[in-house]
Amino acid sequence: MSKAEKTKQHIIEKTATLFNTKGYTSTSLSDITEATGLTKGSIYGNFENKDEVAIEVYKYNAGLLSRTIQHSFGDEYPTSAEKLHAFVAFYRKNWPVVFSNGGCPLMNAATEADDSFPALKPHVRNSFEIWMTKISTVIIQGQKNGEINEKIDAEKYASLFIMLIEGGILLSKTMGTQSYLNNALDTITHMIDHELIILPS
């Protein structure tokens, strides 16, 4: 990695939580220089403008979340049911981390992208599409393996899971209690166990 690449990575990593907590449009150049310990000239020597920093930071934050979610869908969990339960467990276990880092980076960015930062919107849409595809793929594989009801619409349930999780995070963060997210995760668990999985007769 070249010196310039290292500097860019330093800027992105040092401002990742800042942008997600304060907001992509509300974070100022002064905030960035304070977080990184670099001058404005150094920031603009590596990025065209603040919007470019914000987009690269979003891609970094979304990438971290995506890789963590992917772990739940890895070979460590051999069945589709186990993968889906591991996915739910990830959110139940990591709520304090999500909360302390400003909430879900996808949801935070989605709000801003829709209202005041349209350049960010295609990146956020792509993140949600990738997330939905990962869940759908696990469900479809379970259908092929005879674990999951073949009549289930994989994309529909993937989108429901995401909506419940994002809504649960939003309410929990707003109200300052994990109970709302837990309720959402309990609902997803019930769907997995009673609507998706084929129970032995």
Side-chain angles (χ1 to χ4, degrees), residues 98-146:
V98 173
F99 182 86
S100 64
N101 287 322
C104 175
L106 274 63
M107 179 172 60
N108 291 346
T111 304
E112 289 193 64
D114 195 48
D115 296 332
S116 56
F117 195 179
L120 188 58
K121 191 167 186 176
H123 300 284
V124 180
R125 183 169 58 242
N126 182 60
S127 296
F128 275 111
E129 287 172 349
I130 290 172
W131 193 7
M132 200 175 303
T133 298
K134 285 181 178 181
I135 300 172
S136 299
T137 300
V138 171
I139 294 173
I140 290 169
Q141 187 59 51
Q143 291 173 318
K144 290 178 180 177
N145 294 341

